[in-house]
Each structure stands twice: as structure tokens, then as C-alpha cells.
């Protein structure tokens, strides 16, 4: 059994360190290149087949601040956590959905351990950088005043976001520096068969394509979907009336063959309009069909032959082309009554395509019309229907867009992430599709509590932030969907978390949030260990974020038979916040089945008696070995 007692390890200061995680993955692939914790880049080049010095210049998109954006993606998150907000949550004891309020870069970092490789689909609708959008300033290590001097404007409240005007000398660079680290972190969260969809307009679609090629790999580009966002042209447009937006689609790994683990798109359900195109004029027993052109655009001499129609007419391929099938294959199709010459038998032949052969679904195209998915106007109208014919949000996305993306990419229990959640269209679409196909998809919504303009209709409705609008939409949409599907077992709830400073005092001291002297002199054992306003559950969630593979929706159970402040998380993590540790507590923890992977104690529970801690840990280890079944089970002990 693993022994950790002599080290008396503290819980990690950081939630995760992406650079260390990348080093671990690199070492797993190429063990010979990591020496004394450092990468031997010459050895790495040799592993990649590069045995000579290569030209340092290569094709890539560059901008002022790119190296800083890369560093930002890899910087560990210090002194931050997610606090549970039970009073704003809905169905908290049963829901698997999450709504997280806070800066999405920090939140994405906090979610790395719990959700790495777990997300099936990401959809985001980031700021389009039109000159009026907010972009985030990600210099976390400096004050708002220092940040303002370095980057220009911040909001009046000192928030790390500001309007990025086109007159700015770093107009494109600011936007790229905002997007780059968020996309890098998002890729980590995707499953190997996951996919990301990013809405964007013409203004930055080219640059976005470049950075996505770099982050996801150009070979994993799937499609640029163009959708019709408007119906009526703008007659006052200076050059062209803008009628469309883009959705870039990138796979984490594109599936190449059946043995690969990678993303593959699903077929879309066929519409009644599509099926209506199939007729049965010759009463074929195989059912409705439609004709398909027999000629091919390219030329192959062996496919160039004459066909005699039932009426006796000789038909040749159109000039410069040939038939789609060989003469032998044509005769087979003709014998199987799969060639159509028209009712009078005199038409140019065509192939019969049967509806029964395509009922599994239809292949999506890259052009989506407003008739099939809605447009900006219908999106606003649908949102107003939920809010008593009042307009709480200016730029919602049509739910039809997200529904179509979900149908292409998700099944059953998949997790869907949106870290520019806005009015929560994605959450709405997830609940709607679950109601339609009996799925149990789960959503994670992340949204900055961006203040609403006091001149807006949303402010008049009583909403102070965009996140308040988003949470209220999920409430209302969930109730509406459940009412429309009364027999469906739907998860229309969500647990709310809010980005906040650490609850743990020694971490706050390490990160400069409080002085070390304050941490030592604060009266009372609890306030020496924890920050004012904390709850036990806050501390448990903060510890949970430091573990791998435990989602934020994991059940936290109170182990009252052990103590009033001892908790089990997902039956794998024990957090003991008791002020004093007794032999009775140790005996009961050691007897827990199944054996927990990790146990957390408070350092202060042992006072200053190092021998007490050593003896207690030796007792725990002996009892754990005694109670383990089927051989020794490794476990770990850490201290707050």
C-alpha cells in the first residue's frame, strides 16, 4: 500500500498546471526525450524524424501578443475556486446540468481536472469583434489599474473586459489573444471523438480558421457551415447586405476508418418535405423513389456506350461526358427495374433511388436556410415568448441552429459545453432535444456576469447581468418543455456555481490575498484554516476541483456516523473537516467500503504534535491494509 505519511503532503496549491500535464503526456509518448524533468528538444526532433537543423521560419498566423496568449493558456490558476450557489440552483439533488458564472478562461482552467476528455460537443458564440464587442483582458497577475495602463480601457467597475474599437492598433491582435487560450483549454476538455462548433461572422472567420488549424490541426477541419441569419435585405447597406454567418466545425480527431477513435457525424432526420420528393409512378413494389441523373461529368471511354430505350430510340451520353456506370452494371440495374425511361419508355434513362434506402437519415450540407433552422428575427420572437412578449436579450441564436448541431454530434448521455453562454440557447436546445428523442444529454453553461446596459429592455425587466437572463431562460424553457412533454423524464434543473476566491486560508496567504500574519493571528481554529463566509461544502468543492475524473455534479454525502463534518464525494474521496481527529474517527474511515482513493484531513486537527500525526497515520495505514479485500488498495492522504 502506498505510504505518504512521512511527507504529510498538503493539497496542491494550484488546481491544475497545463504545462506539467503536457509534459506528462509527452513523456508517455516519447519516454526518452524527458530528462531530469526537462524536454531534450534534439531528442524530440529525432523521434519525429528530423535529424538536421530545420529552418525556423514556417507557415503560421502571427500577431502581437501571441506568445503571451500561449503563456496565458498554460499558466496555472491560483487562489480561485467555484462556490456552489444553492439558492439559485434548480432540482439540485437530481440534476446533472451546470451553470457556472464567471470569466470563462479561469473557469475552463478550473474544470480541467474534472472534465478533461469528457465533453462530446462544444458550441460557442464568442464576440465577433465588430468594433463594439467586449473582449477579455487576461492579465490576472496585475491590478485593474496596471492592466488599464498596459492594455487601454477596462470597464468602469475595473472588470477585465472592454470594448475593442477598430481604431485600436491591436484590434485583431486583442481578439486573437482572447480566443487563443480559451480554444487551447477547450480542446483538452473534448473527448477523442468530440467536436467543436464556433459561430463567427466574416470579420474574423479567416483569422479564426487559422488559429483553429494551429490548435486542432488543419487535418481536423470538418466544415464551414454558412447559415442564413436574416430574411430581409438592408437597403441602407454601404456595399452588400450581410445575410449570413459562419459556424466553423473542427473535430478533436477526425475519424478516418472504422477502427479509429474519432469524431463521426450522425445523419440528420429526414423531413416530410424531403420524403415528399419521392413518388411511385410505376407502382414499384419497393415503394416511392426519385430519379437520379445517369450521366457523369468526367469522361471514361469504357463508360461511353449507346442505350436503346424501350421505345426503340438510341440514346448516347451528353457531349463530352459518359454514363455513370459500366455497360454491364447498367444491364444489371435494368434487369432489377432500377432504370427509368419515363412513362412512355422514350426518355433519357435515369437511376431510381428508393426512399427505403435513405430513411436512416440525410447527409448535412454546409448551407442552412432560415426555413429549416430559423433566423435572428425568429430567435428573438421565440425568446420573447418565454419572457411574456418582452425582449431580455438583443442577439439570441435560433434554437434550430443548436438543435441541428446537437443532432449531428450527440447521443444519449453526452455532455455539451458552451462557455460563451449568453442567453442560454444551448441549454434550451439540449433540453428540447432530450424531450424529442428521450435522451439524457447534459449541459455546462459558462457566462461572465456581464452588466446589462441600463438603457436596455432587459434592465427594465429587472435583470442586472446577462447571466441572470440566461439562468431565467433555463428555468422558463425547462418548465415549458416539460409541460409540452408531460410523460417525459427530463432533467430541466441545473446547479449554479460562481467563480470566487479560495476558501482555504493558507492558499489565500500563498497567493497574496491575505497576509501570512493575518493567516496566523486570525482567532478561532476555523478562521485560521478557512476564509470568512466559507461553508464546508465550499471547501469540499474546492478540493474536488483538484481531483481527476470527479465531475462537479458528483454526489456529496455527509458521513454523520463518522462525524458532523466528514464527507464522501463520489464514493472515492473522503474529506474530513473535523476540528480534532480521534482513534474512533480513524477506525471508521479505515472501514469504509470501497476503499477511498484519497483522504483529506485538516492539519490543525493534530495541533503541533507531529508524533500524534505520525501515529495516527500509521494507525490508519495498518487498518486500511487489514480491511482491504483482494489485495492492497493504494490510497493517498493529504492535508489542508
Amino acid at each position: 500500500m502506498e505510504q505518504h505519511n512521512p511527507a504529510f503532503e498538503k493539497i496542491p496549491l494550484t488546481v491544475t498546471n497545463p504545462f506539467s500535464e503536457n509534459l506528462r503526456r509527452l513523456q508517455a509518448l516519447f519516454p526518452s526525450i524527458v530528462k531530469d524533468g526537462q524536454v531534450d528538444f534534439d531528442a524530440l526532433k529525432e523521434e519525429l524524424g528530423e535529424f538536421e537543423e530545420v529552418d525556423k521560419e514556417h507557415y503560421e498566423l502571427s500577431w502581437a501578443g501571441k506568445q503571451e496568449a500561449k503563456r496565458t493558456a498554460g499558466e496555472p490558476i491560483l487562489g480561485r475556486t467555484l462556490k456552489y450557489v444553492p439558492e439559485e440552483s434548480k432540482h439540485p439533488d437530481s440534476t446533472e446540468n451546470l451553470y457556472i458564472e464567471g470569466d470563462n478562461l479561469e473557469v475552463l482552467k478550473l474544470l480541467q481536472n474534472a472534465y478533461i476528455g469528457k465533453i462530446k460537443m462544444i458550441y460557442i458564440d464568442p464576440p465577433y469583434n465588430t468594433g463594439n464587442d467586449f473582449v477579455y483582458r487576461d492579465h490576472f497577475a496585475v491590478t485593474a489599474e496596471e492592466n488599464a495602463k498596459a492594455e487601454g480601457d477596462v470597464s468602469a467597475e475595473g472588470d477585465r473586459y472592454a470594448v475593442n474599437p477598430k481604431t485600436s492598433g491591436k484590434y485583431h491582435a486583442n481578439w486573437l489573444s482572447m480566443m487563443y487560450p480559451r480554444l487551447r483549454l477547450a480542446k483538452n476538455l473534448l473527448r477523442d471523438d468530440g467536436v467543436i462548433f464556433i459561430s463567427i461572422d466574416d470579420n474574423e472567420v479567416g483569422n479564426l480558421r487559422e488559429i483553429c488549424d494551429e490548435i486542432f490541426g488543419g487535418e481536423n477541419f470538418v466544415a464551414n457551415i454558412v447559415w442564413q441569419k436574416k430574411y430581409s435585405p438592408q437597403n441602407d447597406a454601404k456595399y452588400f447586405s450581410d445575410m449570413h454567418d459562419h459556424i466553423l466545425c473542427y473535430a478533436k480527431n477526425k475519424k478516418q476508418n472504422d477502427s479509429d477513435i474519432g469524431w463521426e457525424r450522425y445523419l440528420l432526420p429526414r423531413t416530410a418535405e424531403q420524403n415528399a420528393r419521392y413518388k411511385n409512378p410505376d407502382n414499384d413494389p419497393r415503394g416511392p423513389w426519385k430519379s437520379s441523373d445517369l450521366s457523369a461529368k468526367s469522361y471514361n471511354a469504357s463508360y461511353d456506350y449507346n442505350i436503346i430505350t424501350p421505345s426503340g430510340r438510341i440514346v448516347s451520353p451528353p457531349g463530352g461526358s459518359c454514363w455513370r456506370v459500366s455497360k454491364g452494371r447498367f444491364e444489371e440495374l435494368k434487369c432489377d427495374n432500377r432504370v427509368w425511361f419515363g412513362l412512355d419508355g422514350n426518355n433519357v434513362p435515369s437511376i431510381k433511388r428508393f426512399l427505403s434506402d435513405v430513411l436512416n437519415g440525410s447527409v448535412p450540407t454546409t448551407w442552412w436556410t432560415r426555413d429549416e433552422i430559423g433566423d435572428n428575427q425568429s430567435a428573438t420572437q421565440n425568446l420573447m415568448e418565454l419572457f411574456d412578449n418582452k425582449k431580455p436579450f438583443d442577439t439570441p441564436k435560433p434554437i434550430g441552429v443548436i438543435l441541428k448541431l446537437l443532432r449531428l454530434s450527440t447521443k444519449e448521455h453526452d455532455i455539451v459545453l458552451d462557455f460563451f453562454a449568453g442567453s442560454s440557447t444551448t441549454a434550451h436546445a439540449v433540453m428540447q432535444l432530450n424531450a424529442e428523442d428521450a435522451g439524457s444529454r447534459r449541459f455546462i453553461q459558462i457566462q461572465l456576469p456581464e452588466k446589462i446596459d441600463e438603457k436596455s429592455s432587459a434592465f427594465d425587466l429587472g435583470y442586472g447581468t446577462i447571466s441572470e437572463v440566461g439562468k431565467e431562460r433555463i428555468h422558463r424553457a425547462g418548465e415549458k418543455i416539460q409541460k409540452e412533454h408531460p410523460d417525459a423524464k427530463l432533467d430541466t434543473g441545473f446547479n449554479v456555481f460562481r467563480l470566487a476566491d479560495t476558501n482555504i486560508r493558507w492558499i489565500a496567504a500563498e497567493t497574496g490575498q491575505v497576509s501570512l500574519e493575518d493567516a496566523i493571528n486570525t482567532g478561532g481554529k476555523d478562521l485560521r484554516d478557512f476564509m470568512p463566509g466559507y461553508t464546508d461544502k465550499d471547501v469540499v468543492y474546492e478540493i474536488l476541483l483538484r481531483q481527476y475524473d470527479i465531475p462537479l455534479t458528483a454526489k456529496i454525502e455527509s458521513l454523520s456516523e463518522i462525524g458532523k463534518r466528514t464527507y464522501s464525494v463520489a464514493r472515492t474521496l473522503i474529506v474530513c473537516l473535523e476540528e480534532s481527529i480521534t482513534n474512533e474517527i480513524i477506525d471508521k474511515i479505515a472501514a469504509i467500503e470501497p476503499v477511498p482513493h484519497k483522504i483529506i484531513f485538516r492539519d490543525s486537527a493534530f495541533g503541533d504534535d507531529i508524533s500524534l500525526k505520525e501515529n495516527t497515520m500509521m494507525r490508519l495505514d495498518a487498518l486500511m491494509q487489514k480491511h482491504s479485500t483482494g489485495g492492497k488498495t493504494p490510497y493517498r492522504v493529504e492535508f489542508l
Side-chain angles (χ1 to χ4, degrees):
M1 186 168 294
E2 290 185 358
Q3 293 280 348
H4 295 279
N5 303 1
F8 295 142
E9 296 178 22
K10 292 287 243 181
I11 64 170
L13 176 64
T14 64
V15 172
T16 184
N17 187 329
F19 288 147
S20 296
E21 181 64 20
N22 290 341
L23 183 64
R24 184 189 66 78
R25 293 178 190 168
L26 200 57
Q27 188 172 18
L29 284 173
F30 308 114
S32 64
I33 72 167
V34 179
K35 301 168 183 177
D36 296 326
Q38 301 293 318
V39 176
D40 182 335
F41 288 100
D42 289 332
L44 176 58
K45 287 178 181 178
E46 291 177 5
E47 290 281 1
L48 299 176
E50 297 177 4
F51 297 98
E52 297 179 1
E53 184 67 27
V54 295
D55 191 337
K56 292 182 179 179
E57 293 182 350
H58 56 277
Y59 175 77
E60 68 171 351
L61 175 67
S62 186
W63 67 90
K66 182 175 183 179
Q67 291 305 312
E68 180 62 29
K70 289 183 174 182
R71 279 191 288 272
T72 297
E75 288 173 350
I77 186 80
L78 296 169
R80 301 288 269 166
T81 188
L82 297 176
K83 283 203 172 189
Y84 178 49
V85 188
E87 65 273 15
E88 296 184 18
S89 301
K90 180 181 179 183
H91 306 323
D93 295 331
S94 60
T95 186
E96 296 289 324
N97 300 318
L98 294 173
Y99 190 100
I100 304 175
E101 206 173 83
D103 184 306
N104 54 17
L105 181 64
E106 292 184 280
V107 174
L108 287 171
K109 290 187 176 188
L110 288 170
L111 295 182
Q112 291 294 302
N113 286 346
Y115 290 95
I116 188 168
K118 295 290 193 299
I119 307 298
K120 180 60 185 294
M121 171 186 146
I122 297 175
Y123 169 79
I124 56 171
D125 183 18
Y128 284 6
N129 206 27
T130 61
N132 299 311
D133 295 313
F134 287 109
V135 297
Y136 298 79
R137 315 295 200 186
D138 296 325
H139 291 260
F140 301 132
V142 299
T143 65
E145 291 78 15
E146 291 169 330
N147 186 66
K149 291 177 183 177
E151 294 286 354
D153 291 335
V154 293
S155 73
E157 294 77 19
D159 294 319
R160 285 195 301 269
Y161 62 91
V163 172
N164 189 38
K166 289 188 176 181
T167 54
S168 166
K170 292 186 176 181
Y171 170 58
H172 290 291
N174 286 338
W175 188 84
L176 289 165
S177 292
M178 177 195 75
M179 292 297 297
Y180 190 91
R182 288 163 173 80
L183 292 174
R184 283 280 297 267
L185 293 165
K187 181 186 177 185
N188 295 342
L189 299 179
L190 282 174
R191 285 169 26 178
D192 286 341
D193 62 346
V195 65
I196 184 170
F197 297 97
I198 310 170
S199 281
I200 197 68
D201 68 359
D202 285 333
N203 201 49
E204 292 288 1
V205 66
N207 286 332
L208 180 61
R209 177 84 180 264
E210 294 275 7
I211 61 173
C212 285
D213 280 351
E214 181 173 328
I215 292 169
F216 296 96
E219 69 277 8
N220 287 313
F221 169 74
V222 177
N224 177 5
I225 301 163
V226 181
W227 67 280
Q228 185 183 5
K229 66 178 181 179
K230 293 178 183 176
Y231 173 65
S232 301
Q234 294 174 270
N235 293 323
D236 60 348
K238 186 174 181 180
Y239 295 110
F240 291 84
S241 179
D242 183 15
M243 304 291 286
H244 71 276
D245 272 344
H246 305 263
I247 301 174
L248 293 186
C249 173
Y250 279 81
K252 174 87 171 277
N253 300 288
K254 238 202 252 188
K255 191 176 179 73
Q256 303 295 336
N257 53 61
D258 291 341
S259 62
D260 284 347
I261 297 176
W263 184 68
E264 55 179 329
R265 64 101 181 98
Y266 303 124
L267 294 172
L268 290 171
R270 293 187 61 81
T271 65
E273 181 182 358
Q274 288 173 320
N275 292 342
R277 297 170 189 158
Y278 289 76
K279 309 294 183 183
N280 196 358
D282 61 346
N283 295 316
D284 194 304
R286 289 166 290 195
W289 54 269
K290 69 175 184 178
S291 62
S292 176
D293 192 357
L294 183 59
S295 63
K297 292 181 180 178
S298 58
Y299 183 76
N300 184 328
S302 62
Y303 283 49
D304 186 354
Y305 52 89
N306 292 330
I307 294 174
I308 301 176
T309 70
S311 66
R313 185 163 73 98
I314 298 176
V315 180
S316 301
S321 65
C322 62
W323 300 120
R324 188 179 297 274
V325 296
S326 66
K327 185 170 180 60
R329 178 57 180 157
F330 173 79
E331 293 299 332
E332 290 176 0
L333 292 170
K334 183 179 175 183
C335 289
D336 195 29
N337 191 24
R338 289 180 179 268
V339 179
W340 176 244
F341 292 96
L343 288 172
D344 58 2
N346 194 47
N347 289 4
V348 174
S350 60
I351 301 291
K352 293 166 69 174
R353 306 289 186 190
F354 290 90
L355 177 60
S356 57
D357 294 335
V358 297
L359 278 178
N360 287 335
S362 61
V363 174
T365 69
T366 55
W367 167 238
W368 296 2
T369 68
R370 61 182 294 277
D371 292 334
E372 55 179 322
I373 48 111
D375 58 15
N376 288 348
Q377 183 178 357
S378 66
T380 298
Q381 291 171 344
N382 291 338
L383 188 57
M384 288 176 65
E385 289 174 7
L386 286 176
F387 285 82
D388 306 318
N389 283 327
K390 295 172 182 173
K391 184 179 178 182
F393 194 78
D394 290 332
T395 56
K397 278 289 176 290
I399 189 174
V401 170
I402 317 300
L403 281 170
K404 193 165 184 177
L405 297 176
L406 289 168
R407 290 186 177 108
L408 286 171
S409 308
T410 67
K411 297 287 185 185
E412 298 172 346
H413 307 296
D414 289 341
I415 303 175
V416 178
L417 169 65
D418 184 344
F419 54 88
F420 286 97
S423 66
S424 295
T425 305
T426 299
H428 187 165
V430 167
M431 294 187 294
Q432 181 67 47
L433 187 55
N434 283 342
E436 293 175 8
D437 69 2
S440 54
R441 299 167 188 83
R442 294 159 283 168
F443 63 75
I444 301 175
Q445 300 278 275
I446 303 173
Q447 175 60 42
L448 183 77
E450 184 180 324
K451 290 180 173 56
I452 286 175
D453 188 340
E454 294 185 7
K455 298 177 182 178
S456 69
S457 56
F459 188 83
D460 293 338
L461 289 170
Y463 300 108
T465 64
I466 290 175
S467 53
E468 289 178 12
V469 174
K471 286 178 284 188
E472 182 62 21
R473 179 182 188 169
I474 301 173
H475 270 289
R476 296 187 181 214
E479 291 170 3
K480 180 175 183 289
I481 292 168
Q482 187 67 77
K483 187 175 181 180
E484 292 170 347
H485 301 81
D487 298 327
K489 294 181 179 179
L490 300 176
D491 181 358
T492 60
F494 56 98
N495 274 319
V496 176
F497 287 83
R498 186 167 292 136
L499 186 65
D501 288 333
T502 180
N503 303 286
I504 301 168
R505 187 169 284 275
W506 77 263
I507 293 178
E510 283 284 335
T511 54
Q513 296 172 22
V514 296
S515 71
L516 187 58
E517 185 177 338
D518 289 341
I520 294 171
N521 295 333
T522 301
K525 186 176 284 190
D526 270 0
L527 284 180
R528 285 198 298 272
D529 286 346
F530 307 120
M531 299 297 289
Y534 88 99
T535 67
D536 279 2
K537 188 165 274 191
D538 290 336
V539 175
V540 173
Y541 276 119
E542 185 163 355
I543 293 169
L544 184 156
L545 290 170
R546 285 165 164 74
Q547 318 308 312
Y548 281 98
D549 293 330
I550 303 180
L552 272 175
T553 53
K555 302 306 177 190
I556 298 175
E557 301 174 89
S558 175
L559 301 181
S560 55
E561 69 278 9
I562 294 176
K564 293 181 179 179
R565 303 179 67 181
T566 300
Y567 306 91
S568 170
V569 185
R571 305 194 71 191
T572 189
L573 170 69
I574 303 298
V575 180
C576 181
L577 301 181
E578 310 296 340
E579 291 191 14
S580 299
I581 300 298
T582 64
N583 286 342
E584 183 182 6
I585 289 174
I586 292 297
D587 294 352
K588 289 181 178 179
I589 288 176
I592 292 174
E593 292 287 349
V595 175
H597 294 167
K598 186 178 287 188
I599 306 165
I600 311 288
F601 295 103
R602 291 170 65 171
D603 244 336
S604 63
F606 303 92
D608 297 325
D609 191 343
I610 190 69
S611 62
L612 173 61
K613 183 186 286 189
E614 288 178 347
N615 292 335
T616 303
M617 292 302 102
M618 288 174 62
R619 180 186 183 91
L620 173 66
D621 193 59
L623 290 171
M624 291 284 276
Q625 291 190 47
K626 178 181 177 181
H627 293 152
S628 294
T629 57
K632 295 180 180 180
T633 303
Y635 74 101
R636 188 181 185 91
V637 175
E638 291 177 353
F639 297 89
L640 282 170

